[in-house]
Amino acid sequence: MHLKEQTVKEPVLLDFRTHPDRYLHWKLTLEGSVAYLRMDVNEGGSAFEGYELKLNSYDIGVDIELYDVVQRLRFEHPEVKVVVMTSAKQGMFCAGANIRMLGGATHAHKVNFCKFTNETRNSIEDASERSEQIYVAALNGTAAGGGYELALATDYIMLIDDGNAAVSLPEVPLLAVLPGTGGLTRIVDKRHVRRDLADVFCTVEEGIKGQRAVDWRLVDEIVPRSRFVSRVDEKAKELAKLSDRPSDGAGVELAPLERVISETTMSYPYLEVSLDRAGRSATLKVQGPSRETKDLEDIKAQGVNFWPLAVLRALDDALLSLRFNEPELGTLIITSEGDAAKVEHDDQLLYEHQQDWFVREILLFAQRVFKRVDVTSRTTFAFVEQGSCFTGFLSDLLFAVDRSYMLDGQLEGDQRPVPKISLSRLNFGLLKMPNGLSRLETRFLGEPETLERLRGQIGEPLGADDALTAGLITFTPDSIDWEDEVRLLLEERASFSPDALTGMEANLRFAGPETLESKIFGRLSAWQNWIFQRPNAVGEDGALKLYGTGKRANYDRRRI
Amino acid sequence: MHLKEQTVKEPVLLDFRTHPDRYLHWKLTLEGSVAYLRMDVNEGGSAFEGYELKLNSYDIGVDIELYDVVQRLRFEHPEVKVVVMTSAKQGMFCAGANIRMLGGATHAHKVNFCKFTNETRNSIEDASERSEQIYVAALNGTAAGGGYELALATDYIMLIDDGNAAVSLPEVPLLAVLPGTGGLTRIVDKRHVRRDLADVFCTVEEGIKGQRAVDWRLVDEIVPRSRFVSRVDEKAKELAKLSDRPSDGAGVELAPLERVISETTMSYPYLEVSLDRAGRSATLKVQGPSRETKDLEDIKAQGVNFWPLAVLRALDDALLSLRFNEPELGTLIITSEGDAAKVEHDDQLLYEHQQDWFVREILLFAQRVFKRVDVTSRTTFAFVEQGSCFTGFLSDLLFAVDRSYMLDGQLEGDQRPVPKISLSRLNFGLLKMPNGLSRLETRFLGEPETLERLRGQIGEPLGADDALTAGLITFTPDSIDWEDEVRLLLEERASFSPDALTGMEANLRFAGPETLESKIFGRLSAWQNWIFQRPNAVGEDGALKLYGTGKRANYDRRRI
């Protein structure tokens, strides 16, 4: 590519850890069962140099805070049953992703940024659907592009009817790119906007307002300015009654995540990441629990230190950091180490108490983190070695990766236990992929009898032979072959084109049905990534580059 | 893009009309209920200059013949119940798409070529599933890349077990692109190859042979060389017994399609295409039947001249020609003209005789042609004007397009009848989109009550008001606004980025579930199109460009 990329200066390392005390762009107000989340983007607070965040437009920094607050609301505020997203600015809910940032960022950043914003919007939907913490968009001003896409992720959209405020997806006419964070999919698939009206909507720069926005299903309700605040409040209270979240539960504080980073490692509680820059891979070693948890009360007493939650938080941060900060580490290797019995014990507690709000949050978080593995555009391998503890929900990682290797036997001089893996009830439907199936259902698509057989093996420790026969592991080299095979595997993978691997993996991972989510990550994102490479958008004369200069893009008119 | 494109010389106009007498690359042998289709690619017979079609590799010319023969077998040979695809070359079934052709072709040609080959492979599956003309792949030698993808489109894959012949998808390791004609989707979604084994398979250049190919579900059967011919014959005869096709039916010859092309028109029987190069649009005016058809006997007597079949053949050729030969005509406008009563009459005959093999073929062909509209990367509009005849299956075109406009009233000085449209039973499930739903089901997703109401309106002529109220038409300008509105619409559309429109339309057209087919056109093709833009594949140092030079590609190692 001879496109002049990166006219904005990206920081060396992005940090996804933040705290409400440090938010630059969001204001959270708690009023009993209703939380008000106000977008109030600080113009000067951009994550990179080279642009200002005008009109409540956002960049990765704004979205990191949004991700943080959505996560905290679920864990720290069981009493919050409805979250009202609105804006602190007059006449503008949100203008979408910052265009100067997009115009200046690298292709890699644009793609990673869109993926992360998509995941956060999915987590908003996940909160409404599964945590019963229902999101409402109170559009007190125009919601344009990504701003309207943010609203689309909520359960109920209220638009102020003041003759000005509109919803719009002006990306195609204005910028020659797509509404890239789910908008196209959500209007037709979630809100059932008729496809021809959707086509019109997506080509009208100024958007749609008033009654027509309701008639076309773009919003659920319009409210006159004079009654807007009271009607939003009323609707929020009405929706709060539908939630099963406890009014008296004590929240679990998401204490700062401990992390120590060196040139070649990222260390967290229960997770050690080693970076091999020469080999272009990273190894994520998950460590088993260090203590035994007694019961639900003990889980709550431990809170953020309860092993499954602690390990998930570490994994989540590591995956995001690797995506943004280590683009050349093309292969992620997942290993584990620890006491399988302790893992199994915690796993059973999760299963038994799945109805409890906090345990439900942990399970839903596990689902979200493992989905991040599914949609991460890196090759993922799992190595099952001596002393490992792939059991229960951890074993789902074996089915999330592109391939798994299990040592058959023991390496010379290594006295740790021979590798075993085992399944638990959590592998059978509580950890769904973006396609709506469990990883085992996807793995054994069209083989209900295999799933039934595996269900009969729950809790049974499986050695290499058994695991191979059961179809749970790709290859089981013995102690003589192990080192060579693993070395050759990593060398071979590192020799392939990163782009071809991304495309291949994105197609092989999601057999079976598609959902709103998988359509967004598959169809929509793939098209957007294509467009993000096309001169009509990102060339020197492309619309994204010329936006705001007063110059018109000069398009190559060939349809492809 | 500053990539040096088009090092092979593409012809000015591609012609999709051919005849077995003129085939360069395929040999058809009919043996009663079994047809043998042998691939025997003529090395010197490439469609463009600049490469040779070695090792049964193919280009658009080879595929145009394949499309023609698949189509003819269905219409001209009702007695053929099984088609055995095999090769006339020793040791090589098919090496896939020609790499030098791909390396030298424009991005537009690559994308269009892949789409057309995909459609042809889908039509092979359609024949097996719905015409009961079952395809078998008899791999008498290696099937690599697109060659194996061709086999994947058949119902049963037999591989010679001679110690050499293998099946493979070597695109990722060898060329840094994807197996782009459905391979990745079909292995996991159709053949249920386990995803980790699929990952291995797609990275092994030399492919998989012998028993392992069966164990991994890559082929259905391996057969020793000595028994290969007899076993294939036996299997074909066995499968032929499952088909409901008539042994004594008389085929309908697909006589040469009449077509007259000028600088600004393409004229067919029942279809007039006008090209507006300045406005960058083409108008396809479908003409109603000129005579009345009595009954099934009369349908058969007319054969290829039976109006629905004649109009579909014209539409099919026009769509393909526009895609390849007129890349800058970004908007296709569908109009109609004729006697609606006659259309309705033919439409009812199709419905009543849908069990007859020939009528079934016409309906299935209608489904395939309309699907081409769905996946054509051009904006599609329909204009319902005075004297038009959008009724029955023709009205499905109104729901295939991105938007429809219907004149409310009469234009000054135009005495033709006021526009009306009507539905028929064919609109309710006999013409499915790639997503497996009818166009009305997709249009009214999640509204079964609307579908029920529309079913009650079958046969009722609907004026502009009624059609608008029923949700069947996007807009209904009156006689005062019509001309301005249409002109502004076309000007506006022509001003947008062609790429952004392609991506937008590909996402808005397919609400609802996804199928093998829609996953291939959505997820897989979108990723391939992206990769076809990436320097790692198509740059001067990209793998696709360097293939055969002995030089190794030098990849940008960032994962995106």
Side-chain angles (χ1 to χ4, degrees):
Chain A
M1 301 295 296
H2 300 284
L3 307 174
K4 204 200 285 172
E5 283 201 325
Q6 205 169 355
T7 56
V8 303
K9 198 173 160 211
E10 296 173 16
V12 180
L13 291 180
L14 273 179
D15 193 338
F16 290 82
R17 300 170 308 167
T18 184
H19 187 273
D21 291 348
R22 301 202 300 274
Y23 289 173
L24 291 174
H25 310 295
W26 297 89
K27 294 196 164 66
L28 181 65
T29 319
L30 300 164
E31 299 183 10
S33 63
V34 179
Y36 285 86
L37 181 57
R38 290 187 176 80
M39 192 172 198
D40 192 11
V41 175
N42 181 330
E43 286 195 11
S46 63
F48 311 153
E49 291 170 23
Y51 56 92
E52 289 191 330
L53 294 172
K54 293 188 175 160
L55 296 170
N56 260 6
S57 63
Y58 59 83
D59 67 357
I60 186 73
V62 178
D63 235 59
I64 285 173
E65 293 182 5
L66 177 61
Y67 172 56
D68 186 73
V69 74
V70 170
Q71 186 79 336
R72 283 183 198 278
L73 278 164
R74 295 172 81 156
F75 280 100
E76 300 186 351
H77 298 287
E79 82 285 1
V80 170
K81 299 170 182 182
V82 169
V83 181
V84 177
M85 290 187 77
T86 190
S87 156
K89 306 262 197 259
Q90 276 294 333
M92 177 55 75
F93 172 71
C94 168
N98 187 278
I99 298 167
R100 297 224 30 203
M101 177 278 291
L102 279 180
T106 58
H107 182 65
H109 183 76
K110 280 198 278 290
V111 169
N112 259 323
F113 167 68
C114 283
K115 185 175 284 175
F116 177 69
T117 56
N118 269 319
E119 288 173 316
T120 303
R121 275 129 200 87
N122 290 344
S123 80
I124 287 172
E125 260 165 0
D126 188 53
S128 292
E129 280 171 39
R130 304 189 188 97
S131 286
E132 310 223 359
Q133 192 169 63
I134 302 157
Y135 276 72
V136 172
L139 309 182
N140 55 329
T142 286
Y148 177 51
E149 290 180 294
L150 190 54
L152 283 169
T154 69
D155 244 33
Y156 196 83
I157 306 178
M158 307 173 83
L159 174 64
I160 195 166
D161 188 20
D162 62 358
N164 283 315
V167 295
S168 69
L169 292 176
E171 285 86 346
V172 169
L174 218 56
L175 306 168
V177 300
L178 301 185
T181 41
L184 296 179
T185 311
R186 284 200 176 88
I187 52 174
V188 294
D189 266 300
K190 178 181 182 181
R191 298 193 61 91
H192 297 162
V193 175
R194 229 174 60 208
R195 55 168 284 201
D196 54 342
L197 301 177
D199 181 282
V200 176
F201 175 58
C202 295
T203 60
V204 177
E205 269 179 44
E206 66 277 17
I208 305 284
K209 61 190 171 189
Q211 186 56 40
R212 182 172 252 195
V214 178
D215 293 343
W216 287 17
R217 300 184 180 166
L218 298 165
V219 307
D220 293 290
E221 185 178 347
I222 50 171
V223 188
R225 173 179 292 281
S226 60
R227 292 200 294 113
F228 192 73
V229 172
S230 64
R231 174 62 192 141
V232 167
D233 191 51
E234 181 185 72
K235 183 72 197 178
K237 292 204 170 92
E238 182 191 315
L239 288 170
K241 289 186 194 135
L242 305 174
S243 171
D244 71 355
R245 292 174 72 87
S247 298
D248 54 355
V252 172
E253 200 203 324
L254 296 180
L257 180 65
E258 294 164 45
R259 185 179 77 180
V260 180
I261 291 191
S262 79
E263 184 56 27
T264 54
T265 58
M266 295 160 60
S267 300
Y268 303 84
Y270 306 115
L271 179 69
E272 191 70 27
V273 183
S274 339
L275 314 178
D276 175 4
R277 293 216 165 70
R280 290 198 290 276
S281 70
T283 301
L284 293 85
K285 186 193 278 180
V286 174
Q287 285 144 346
S290 52
R291 59 163 281 190
E292 198 147 311
T293 301
K294 286 201 291 287
D295 51 20
L296 184 59
E297 203 181 335
D298 192 14
I299 290 176
K300 298 211 171 174
Q302 291 180 57
V304 80
N305 298 316
F306 177 45
W307 172 78
L309 180 53
V311 82
L312 288 167
R313 289 183 78 203
L315 263 176
D316 196 45
D317 187 78
L319 286 168
L320 291 173
S321 301
L322 287 165
R323 277 193 202 164
F324 279 86
N325 300 333
E326 298 291 350
E328 296 208 0
L329 304 185
T331 303
L332 306 185
I333 301 152
I334 298 176
T335 67
S336 69
E337 153 179 87
D339 182 345
K342 284 210 185 86
V343 175
E344 209 169 334
H345 180 79
D346 280 4
D347 191 83
Q348 283 194 4
L349 284 175
L350 290 176
Y351 185 82
E352 279 162 27
H353 299 292
Q354 58 180 280
Q355 304 297 336
D356 174 77
W357 79 267
F358 177 50
V359 174
R360 177 170 78 186
E361 286 308 334
I362 296 172
L363 285 170
L364 289 172
F365 186 39
Q367 183 164 281
R368 294 197 299 282
V369 174
F370 289 10
K371 280 180 183 179
R372 274 211 220 279
V373 177
D374 296 326
V375 302
T376 290
S377 60
R378 308 286 167 99
T379 293
T380 50
F381 292 143
F383 293 162
V384 186
E385 299 160 311
Q386 287 171 253
S388 63
C389 57
F390 282 109
T391 181
F393 77 94
L394 277 193
S395 62
D396 231 60
L397 287 168
L398 301 174
F399 320 129
V401 297
D402 297 311
R403 300 187 201 175
S404 57
Y405 288 73
M406 185 169 178
L407 171 67
D408 184 4
Q410 288 184 291
L411 296 179
E412 210 180 284
D414 190 337
Q415 301 306 314
R416 290 175 302 167
V418 168
K420 305 258 183 195
I421 65 169
S422 74
L423 300 173
S424 85
R425 287 171 294 188
L426 292 185
N427 305 120
F428 291 83
L430 278 161
L431 299 167
K432 290 199 191 327
M433 293 177 58
N435 66 1
L437 303 183
S438 70
R439 287 182 184 77
L440 287 177
E441 281 175 301
T442 305
R443 189 176 183 87
F444 300 108
L445 198 66
E447 296 179 56
E449 68 290 354
T450 303
L451 285 176
E452 221 26 67
R453 184 168 45 69
L454 290 172
R455 207 182 275 274
Q457 291 184 288
I458 286 174
E460 190 184 314
L462 305 170
D465 268 2
D466 291 341
L468 188 71
T469 306
L472 297 174
I473 288 286
T474 317
F475 292 119
T476 55
D478 63 20
S479 58
I480 297 167
D481 293 335
W482 178 262
E483 275 187 34
D484 274 352
E485 201 152 321
V486 159
R487 184 177 50 76
L488 289 171
L489 170 72
L490 296 177
E491 282 174 12
E492 183 196 63
R493 202 72 171 194
S495 76
F496 296 150
S497 158
D499 307 324
L501 288 175
T502 292
M504 180 186 91
E505 292 154 5
N507 280 284
L508 294 180
R509 288 176 183 172
F510 303 98
E514 300 261 350
T515 63
L516 195 66
E517 228 175 296
S518 72
K519 282 172 100 162
I520 289 170
F521 288 120
R523 183 182 279 273
L524 179 59
S525 297
W527 279 111
Q528 180 76 308
N529 291 359
W530 176 71
I531 289 167
F532 277 161
Q533 287 275 277
R534 300 281 296 161
N536 283 342
V538 298
E540 285 307 307
D541 293 331
L544 201 58
K545 290 274 184 187
L546 292 182
Y547 183 77
T549 63
K551 281 190 233 164
R552 265 184 98 82
N554 186 15
Y555 296 132
D556 175 345
R557 293 294 170 186
R558 282 174 298 174
R559 264 292 196 132
I560 285 166
Chain B
M1 302 296 295
H2 300 282
L3 306 175
K4 204 202 284 173
E5 283 201 325
Q6 205 170 352
T7 57
V8 302
K9 197 175 160 212
E10 297 173 16
V12 180
L13 292 179
L14 272 179
D15 193 339
F16 291 81
R17 299 170 308 167
T18 185
H19 187 275
D21 292 347
R22 300 202 300 272
Y23 289 172
L24 292 173
H25 310 295
W26 296 89
K27 294 196 163 67
L28 181 65
T29 319
L30 300 164
E31 298 184 10
S33 64
V34 179
Y36 285 85
L37 182 57
R38 289 187 177 81
M39 193 173 197
D40 192 11
V41 176
N42 181 328
E43 285 195 12
S46 63
F48 311 152
E49 291 170 24
Y51 56 91
E52 290 191 331
L53 294 172
K54 293 189 176 161
L55 296 171
N56 261 6
S57 63
Y58 60 83
D59 67 358
I60 185 74
V62 178
D63 235 58
I64 286 173
E65 293 182 4
L66 176 61
Y67 172 55
D68 186 74
V69 75
V70 170
Q71 186 79 336
R72 282 182 198 279
L73 279 164
R74 296 171 81 157
F75 279 101
E76 300 186 349
H77 298 286
E79 81 285 0
V80 169
K81 299 171 182 182
V82 169
V83 182
V84 177
M85 291 186 75
T86 189
S87 158
K89 307 261 195 258
Q90 278 292 335
M92 177 56 73
F93 171 71
C94 168
N98 187 277
I99 298 166
R100 298 226 27 207
M101 177 278 291
L102 279 181
T106 58
H107 182 63
H109 182 76
K110 282 199 276 288
V111 170
N112 260 324
F113 167 70
C114 284
K115 184 175 286 175
F116 177 69
T117 56
N118 269 318
E119 288 172 316
T120 302
R121 277 128 198 86
N122 290 345
S123 80
I124 289 173
E125 260 165 0
D126 188 52
S128 293
E129 279 171 39
R130 302 190 190 96
S131 286
E132 309 224 2
Q133 192 168 64
I134 302 157
Y135 276 73
V136 172
L139 308 183
N140 54 329
T142 286
Y148 177 53
E149 290 179 294
L150 191 53
L152 283 169
T154 70
D155 245 35
Y156 195 82
I157 306 178
M158 307 174 83
L159 175 63
I160 196 165
D161 189 19
D162 63 358
N164 282 315
V167 294
S168 69
L169 291 176
E171 284 86 345
V172 169
L174 217 57
L175 305 169
V177 299
L178 301 185
T181 42
L184 296 179
T185 312
R186 285 203 174 85
I187 52 174
V188 294
D189 265 300
K190 179 181 181 179
R191 299 194 60 91
H192 297 162
V193 174
R194 229 174 60 207
R195 56 168 284 199
D196 53 343
L197 301 177
D199 181 282
V200 176
F201 175 58
C202 295
T203 60
V204 176
E205 268 179 47
E206 65 278 17
I208 304 285
K209 61 190 172 187
Q211 187 56 38
R212 183 172 251 197
V214 178
D215 293 344
W216 286 16
R217 300 184 180 166
L218 298 166
V219 307
D220 293 290
E221 186 178 346
I222 50 171
V223 188
R225 171 179 293 280
S226 59
R227 293 201 294 114
F228 192 72
V229 173
S230 63
R231 175 63 192 141
V232 167
D233 191 52
E234 179 183 74
K235 184 71 197 176
K237 292 207 170 90
E238 181 189 317
L239 288 171
K241 289 187 194 133
L242 305 175
S243 171
D244 72 355
R245 290 173 73 86
S247 298
D248 54 356
V252 172
E253 200 203 325
L254 296 180
L257 181 65
E258 293 164 44
R259 185 179 76 180
V260 180
I261 292 191
S262 78
E263 184 55 27
T264 54
T265 59
M266 295 160 61
S267 300
Y268 303 85
Y270 305 114
L271 180 69
E272 191 69 29
V273 184
S274 340
L275 315 177
D276 174 4
R277 293 217 165 71
R280 289 197 292 275
S281 70
T283 301
L284 294 84
K285 187 193 279 179
V286 175
Q287 285 145 346
S290 52
R291 59 164 279 189
E292 199 148 307
T293 301
K294 285 200 291 288
D295 50 20
L296 184 59
E297 203 182 333
D298 192 14
I299 290 176
K300 298 212 170 171
Q302 291 181 57
V304 81
N305 298 315
F306 178 47
W307 173 78
L309 179 53
V311 82
L312 288 166
R313 289 184 76 204
L315 264 174
D316 195 46
D317 188 78
L319 288 167
L320 291 173
S321 302
L322 287 165
R323 277 192 201 163
F324 280 87
N325 300 334
E326 299 290 349
E328 296 208 1
L329 304 185
T331 302
L332 307 185
I333 302 152
I334 298 177
T335 67
S336 69
E337 155 179 86
D339 181 347
K342 285 208 184 88
V343 175
E344 209 171 332
H345 180 80
D346 280 4
D347 191 82
Q348 283 194 5
L349 284 175
L350 290 175
Y351 186 82
E352 279 162 28
H353 299 292
Q354 58 179 281
Q355 303 299 335
D356 174 77
W357 78 267
F358 178 49
V359 174
R360 177 169 78 185
E361 285 308 334
I362 297 172
L363 285 169
L364 290 172
F365 185 40
Q367 183 164 281
R368 294 198 300 282
V369 175
F370 289 10
K371 281 180 182 178
R372 275 213 219 278
V373 178
D374 295 328
V375 302
T376 290
S377 61
R378 308 287 167 99
T379 293
T380 50
F381 292 144
F383 293 161
V384 186
E385 298 159 311
Q386 286 171 250
S388 63
C389 58
F390 283 110
T391 181
F393 76 94
L394 277 194
S395 61
D396 232 61
L397 287 168
L398 300 174
F399 320 129
V401 297
D402 296 312
R403 298 188 203 175
S404 56
Y405 287 72
M406 185 168 178
L407 171 67
D408 184 3
Q410 288 183 290
L411 297 178
E412 209 181 285
D414 191 337
Q415 300 306 316
R416 290 176 300 169
V418 169
K420 305 259 183 193
I421 64 168
S422 75
L423 300 174
S424 84
R425 288 171 293 188
L426 292 185
N427 305 121
F428 291 83
L430 278 161
L431 299 167
K432 290 198 191 327
M433 293 178 56
N435 66 2
L437 303 183
S438 70
R439 286 180 185 78
L440 286 176
E441 281 176 300
T442 305
R443 188 176 185 86
F444 300 108
L445 199 67
E447 296 179 56
E449 68 291 352
T450 304
L451 286 175
E452 221 25 70
R453 184 169 47 67
L454 290 172
R455 207 181 274 274
Q457 292 184 287
I458 284 174
E460 188 184 315
L462 304 170
D465 268 3
D466 291 341
L468 189 72
T469 307
L472 298 174
I473 289 287
T474 317
F475 291 120
T476 55
D478 63 20
S479 59
I480 298 167
D481 293 337
W482 178 262
E483 276 187 31
D484 275 352
E485 201 153 319
V486 159
R487 183 178 50 78
L488 290 171
L489 170 72
L490 296 176
E491 282 175 15
E492 183 196 65
R493 202 72 171 194
S495 76
F496 296 150
S497 158
D499 307 325
L501 287 175
T502 291
M504 179 185 92
E505 291 154 5
N507 280 283
L508 294 181
R509 289 177 182 171
F510 303 97
E514 299 260 351
T515 63
L516 195 66
E517 228 175 297
S518 72
K519 282 172 100 161
I520 289 170
F521 288 119
R523 182 182 280 274
L524 178 59
S525 296
W527 280 111
Q528 180 76 308
N529 291 359
W530 177 72
I531 289 167
F532 276 161
Q533 287 274 274
R534 299 282 294 160
N536 283 341
V538 298
E540 286 307 307
D541 293 331
L544 200 58
K545 291 274 185 188
L546 292 182
Y547 182 77
T549 63
K551 283 189 230 161
R552 264 183 101 82
N554 186 17
Y555 295 132
D556 175 345
R557 295 292 171 187
R558 283 174 298 173
R559 264 292 194 133
I560 286 166

